[in-house]
């Protein structure tokens, strides 16, 4: 519950423009946050004291779990280390009469402490100019720092002895920042007022530094953050695979991810990243006359049509996409999929073909070379692979990734991008990235990728999988 007081229209001292607006802003904000709010506007001393006493009674009746909040905007002064809040009818000629004409701020703390509740918050936007500078013993600026009873958080518009700005707009800089920060979900009260301090310092160009002191013994947030949805085991696996693939920025691994999770939660993000990476790789050699133009952004309906082709997984579906979007964002990916599907069906009965621009010329030889599993015994990064595929037989993974491809990984790729280039140049392969790729093959959703084309056939993919299964030793 909250008591809000805003005093602007003083009868005997200079009035203030913003306190009433500040009080109304705080009341509206706190009501949205679930507080029961009592608002007092332009009240005299008797009304102020009655409101404070009533607030104390209500807080005591609410029990130990209640949270109390007192907000005051208006004139405030200090005398002999004590702070006083000025009602609108304050008419003071001598400092000795201050107790009789004003309301001691400490009385608010006493009322709140008497409730013995867990959490109390006091916010004072009352450090504006001193209206009684000509009265002896009242020539100190701002408010004095008060001791906070246990379980209390005290916030001041500016540092002890400092003067706060009333502001040029409808609200003071301090109150405007408070209303904004206490509405941030999940933000502890200490962090909220740290953000308030930063905002006011910036807006005032260092002239005003909000202050706070705390004796809280429990955590408090004004607005609880919404709970994160619980992920299923499959969703957790997809997220883990995506994070590892995303970190590599490797086009091969991104393409493999899209094959396994074509309609997953992160598919669109993966397509965007793949387009960025491909553009970076294909435009990296600006001096080449054969350099390709960056892929265009997807046209309306293009992404949904490519998604449908991936879900269907047939050459006809990808060809239909290419007929509609021959130079589309995903054209190269569609061509690569068609090549893989054609190679798997015509030249590789176990689904382990090479594909590529010269895939048809090597079909019969590669069938025999890929029929024998590559991972015989434990696979390490430096152990020789036992396979009948002559190009890599007897070589280790560390050696294979330094070889040059025998045909373009993507049909139509200019020779300058792949001929006489090590595979690791294109994919930025290293041991860590290869381990990530091998772990990708371990996912049940990625098993289909093992049958897709590769310049060194399925033997390399299965070896990477076996290597990852053994912990990438």
């Amino acid at each position: 519950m909250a008591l809000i007081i805003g005093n602007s229209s003083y009868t005997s001292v200079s009035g203030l423009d913003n306190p009433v607006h500040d009080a109304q802003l705080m009341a509206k904000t706190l009501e949205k946050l679930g507080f029961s709010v009592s608002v007092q506007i332009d009240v005299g001393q008797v009304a102020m004291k009655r409101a404070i006493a009533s607030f104390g009674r209500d807080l005591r009746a609410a029990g130990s779990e209640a949270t109390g909040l007192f907000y005051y905007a208006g004139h405030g002064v200090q005398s002999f280390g004590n702070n006083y809040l000025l009602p609108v009818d304050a008419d003071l000629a001598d400092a000795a009469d201050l107790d009789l004409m004003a309301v001691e701020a400490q009385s608010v703390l006493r009322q709140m402490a008497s409730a013995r509740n867990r959490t109390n918050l006091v916010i004072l936007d009352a450090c504006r100019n001193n209206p009684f500078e000509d009265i002896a013993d009242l020539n100190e600026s701002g408010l004095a720092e008060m001791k906070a009873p246990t379980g209390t958080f005290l916030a001041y518009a500016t540092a002890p002895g400092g003067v706060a700005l009333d502001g040029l707009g409808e609200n003071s800089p301090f109150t405007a920042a408070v209303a904004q920060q206490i509405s941030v979900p999940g933000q502890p009260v200490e962090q909220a007022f740290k953000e308030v301090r930063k905002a006011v310092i910036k807006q005032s160009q260092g002239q005003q530094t909000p202050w706070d002191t705390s004796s809280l013994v429990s955590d408090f947030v004004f607005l609880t953050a919404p709970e994160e949805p619980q992920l299923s085991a499959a969703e957790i696996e997809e997220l883990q695979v995506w994070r590892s693939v995303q970190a590599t920025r490797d086009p091969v691994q991104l393409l493999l991810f899209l094959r396994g999770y074509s309609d997953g939660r992160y598919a669109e993000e993966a397509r965007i990243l793949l387009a960025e990476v491909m553009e970076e790789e294909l435009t990296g050699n600006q001096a080449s006359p054969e350099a390709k133009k960056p892929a265009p952004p997807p046209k309306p309906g293009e992404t949904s049509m490519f998604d449908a082709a991936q879900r269907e997984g047939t050459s006809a579906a990808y060809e239909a996409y290419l007929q509609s979007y021959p130079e589309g964002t995903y054209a190269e990916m569609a061509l690569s999929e068609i090549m893989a599907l054609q190679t798997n069906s015509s030249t590789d009965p176990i689904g382990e073909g090479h594909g590529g621009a010269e895939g048809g010329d090597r079909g019969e030889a590669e069938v025999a070379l890929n029929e024998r599993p590559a991972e015989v015994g434990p696979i390490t990064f430096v152990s020789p692979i036992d396979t009948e595929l002559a190009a890599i037989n007897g070589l280790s993974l560390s050696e294979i990734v330094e070889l040059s491809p025998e045909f373009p990984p993507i049909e139509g790729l200019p020779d300058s991008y792949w001929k006489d280039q090590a595979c690791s140049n294109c994919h930025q392969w290293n041991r860590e990235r290869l381990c990530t790729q091998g772990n990708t093959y371990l996912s049940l959703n990625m098993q289909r990728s093992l049958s897709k084309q590769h310049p060194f056939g399925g033997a390399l993919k299965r070896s990477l999988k076996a290597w990852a299964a053994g912990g990438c030793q």
Side-chain angles (χ1 to χ4, degrees):
M1 57 186 61
L3 173 59
I4 308 293
I5 298 177
N7 288 340
S8 288
S9 302
Y10 288 89
T11 57
S12 299
V13 298
S14 59
L16 297 169
D17 294 331
N18 289 335
V20 169
H21 300 301
D22 291 336
Q24 292 168 341
L25 174 62
M26 283 297 297
K28 179 188 294 186
T29 303
L30 290 171
E31 284 174 350
K32 290 181 179 179
L33 295 173
F35 279 77
S36 173
V37 179
S38 173
V39 184
Q40 300 290 320
I41 300 297
D42 286 334
V43 287
Q45 185 199 46
V46 174
M48 276 185 68
K49 288 186 174 182
R50 285 177 177 171
I52 293 168
S54 176
F55 177 57
R57 287 194 298 272
D58 291 341
L59 199 56
R60 288 190 289 273
S64 61
E65 297 301 312
T67 295
L69 187 148
F70 176 78
Y71 171 88
Y72 174 80
H75 277 307
V77 296
Q78 64 166 304
S79 177
F80 297 104
N82 293 325
N83 294 321
Y84 295 88
L85 312 179
L86 298 187
V88 293
D89 57 0
D91 187 6
L92 192 67
D94 194 289
D97 297 332
L98 194 57
D99 286 359
L100 304 175
M101 303 299 297
V103 176
E104 187 180 9
Q106 198 67 37
S107 67
V108 178
L109 296 180
R110 284 195 293 270
Q111 286 288 335
M112 299 177 80
S114 70
R116 301 184 185 279
N117 55 322
R118 178 180 296 181
T119 304
N120 286 312
L121 312 165
V122 177
I123 304 172
L124 301 177
D125 196 351
C127 313
R128 296 167 169 88
N129 59 299
N130 180 7
F132 302 120
E133 289 181 344
D134 296 334
I135 298 178
D137 300 324
L138 282 180
N139 54 4
E140 294 184 76
S141 299
L143 297 180
E145 186 170 10
M146 297 183 291
K147 292 184 178 180
T150 301
T152 304
F153 184 90
L154 284 169
Y156 308 84
T158 192
V163 176
L165 303 177
D166 197 34
L168 299 176
E170 191 174 70
N171 298 108
S172 76
F174 174 71
T175 293
V178 170
Q180 180 181 19
Q181 291 301 322
I182 66 176
S183 300
V184 175
Q187 184 166 239
V189 61
E190 296 87 352
Q191 182 63 34
F193 279 87
K194 184 183 295 183
E195 296 300 321
V196 168
R197 183 156 47 248
K198 289 161 60 177
V200 174
I201 289 174
K202 181 178 180 180
Q203 185 172 348
S204 67
Q205 297 182 331
Q207 297 181 52
Q208 179 179 340
T209 302
W211 206 259
D212 57 67
T213 181
S214 173
S215 64
L216 292 179
V217 293
S218 59
D219 297 330
F220 179 78
V221 296
F222 286 91
L223 182 61
T224 303
E227 291 186 5
E228 291 290 334
Q230 296 296 315
L231 299 178
S232 66
E235 289 172 330
I236 292 173
E237 179 190 279
E238 180 183 356
L239 175 60
Q240 291 173 338
V241 173
W242 167 237
R243 284 178 175 171
S244 64
V245 170
Q246 183 184 36
T248 68
R249 292 181 64 85
D250 188 315
V252 172
Q253 294 187 41
L254 287 166
L255 186 56
L256 292 174
F257 177 83
L258 285 169
R259 286 172 177 164
Y261 300 97
S262 60
D263 56 351
R265 177 178 296 184
Y266 311 101
E268 183 60 26
E269 193 174 348
R271 291 188 188 97
I272 293 172
L273 181 58
L274 178 60
E276 291 177 0
V277 173
M278 290 299 296
E279 180 178 343
E280 290 171 3
E281 292 195 356
L282 293 175
T283 59
N285 185 5
Q286 296 294 337
S288 171
E290 302 176 273
K292 286 193 172 185
K293 295 180 180 179
K299 295 179 180 179
E302 180 182 353
T303 298
S304 59
M305 189 172 185
F306 186 75
D307 286 346
Q310 285 194 309
R311 286 193 294 272
E312 186 173 334
T314 64
S315 295
Y318 287 113
E319 287 169 357
Y321 163 81
L322 288 172
Q323 288 176 1
S324 299
Y325 305 98
E327 297 182 359
T329 302
Y330 314 114
E332 290 185 352
M333 294 165 58
L335 286 169
S336 177
E337 292 287 354
I338 291 171
M339 289 156 50
L341 291 166
Q342 290 175 344
T343 301
N344 290 338
S345 62
S346 64
T347 66
D348 194 345
I350 63 168
E352 302 280 359
H354 289 255
E358 302 171 8
D361 297 334
R362 298 187 302 273
E364 294 182 3
E366 290 176 359
V367 170
L369 293 177
N370 284 321
E371 285 178 347
R372 181 177 176 181
E375 59 272 22
V376 178
I379 298 293
T380 70
F381 193 59
V382 296
S383 63
I385 292 175
D386 181 14
T387 176
E388 293 183 10
L389 183 58
I392 63 173
N393 183 46
L395 300 179
S396 66
L397 290 172
S398 62
E399 293 170 320
I400 293 171
V401 297
E402 295 301 325
L403 298 179
S404 298
E406 300 176 3
F407 56 89
I410 300 174
E411 185 177 9
L413 192 67
D415 289 353
S416 59
Y417 288 117
W418 65 274
K419 271 195 174 179
D420 302 320
Q421 299 278 349
C423 294
S424 58
N425 291 343
C426 177
H427 301 304
Q428 300 179 354
W429 270 337
N430 55 35
R431 184 166 181 163
E432 182 180 358
R433 287 174 181 265
L434 284 167
C435 183
T436 301
Q437 184 168 334
N439 277 289
T440 301
Y441 292 137
L442 292 174
S443 169
L444 290 176
N445 286 341
M446 303 300 287
Q447 295 305 303
R448 178 171 171 261
S449 297
L450 288 173
S451 66
K452 294 300 180 182
Q453 65 173 0
H454 190 279
F456 299 119
L460 176 60
K461 292 184 178 184
R462 292 195 305 274
S463 296
L464 284 173
K465 177 185 175 184
W467 178 53
C472 296
Q473 299 299 313

